[in-house]
Amino acid sequence: MKTDIKSLANHYKTEVWTGDLAWLNEKMDIHVKASNVTDTSSHASITIEMNPKGQEDKVISATICVVESTTRIKNPRPGQDPERTYKTVVFLNHSKSIIFSSMAGNALEKSEKYITQYFAKRSAFMLDMKIPEASK
């Protein structure tokens, strides 16, 4: 698998919840688990769980599933990579309903917006608060 699942999981554990989403770090405990980290297969998943600090019985959970497929290009142009990797990203909520799916080379980048919005909205609802306005 070309995608580094371990660093992607670390990204969702520490780097994503900053800036306008820093309030999530302050009010929620964030747990990230990755599967197939050392496997060389073409699929892996990352599960993100959040719960209000001190309230382990309330949990928001969702899973990011990543599937890669690599195809060879018959006649690559000079300087072009002879292989093209497509990524399919499916973002599922706790009941395994699809929230977002994308099939593209940049599917992971596209999905980050949906993932952060999902957790921000669900956390705000759980904490009975409004989502803080984004800074401009």
Side-chain angles (χ1 to χ4, degrees):
M1 179 166 226
K2 291 185 178 182
T3 303
D4 185 358
I5 295 299
K6 194 171 188 174
S7 68
L8 185 62
N10 191 46
H11 175 72
Y12 279 103
K13 188 171 190 168
T14 57
E15 298 169 18
V16 172
W17 319 110
T18 58
D20 293 335
L21 298 171
W23 64 273
L24 282 166
N25 262 332
E26 297 167 7
K27 298 186 180 290
M28 305 291 279
D29 286 325
I30 302 169
H31 309 281
V32 179
K33 294 178 245 174
S35 72
N36 289 356
V37 175
T38 58
D39 196 358
T40 58
S41 66
S42 61
H43 63 281
S45 66
I46 297 171
T47 301
I48 303 170
E49 293 181 347
M50 290 187 185
N51 60 294
K53 292 194 185 251
Q55 298 180 33
E56 285 76 27
D57 58 327
K58 295 181 178 180
V59 177
I60 302 167
S61 175
T63 303
I64 306 161
C65 301
V66 181
V67 179
E68 289 183 353
S69 64
T70 303
T71 57
R72 296 194 65 68
I73 298 173
K74 287 184 181 181
N75 297 315
R77 285 176 250 139
Q80 183 181 13
D81 192 359
E83 292 184 338
R84 178 172 287 150
T85 300
Y86 293 96
K87 295 177 187 164
T88 302
V89 175
V90 181
F91 182 51
L92 308 165
N93 67 10
H94 69 282
S95 62
K96 305 303 179 223
S97 296
I98 296 174
I99 299 167
F100 171 83
S101 66
S102 178
M103 185 180 197
N106 64 345
L108 288 169
E109 292 80 14
K110 285 179 167 180
S111 65
E112 185 173 314
K113 174 182 142 187
Y114 290 91
I115 294 164
T116 56
Q117 284 180 353
Y118 174 80
F119 280 104
K121 288 178 181 179
R122 296 292 303 148
S123 297
F125 179 77
M126 183 181 280
L127 296 168
D128 198 27
M129 62 179 269
K130 287 187 176 183
I131 297 176
E133 291 292 321
S135 60
K136 295 180 181 181

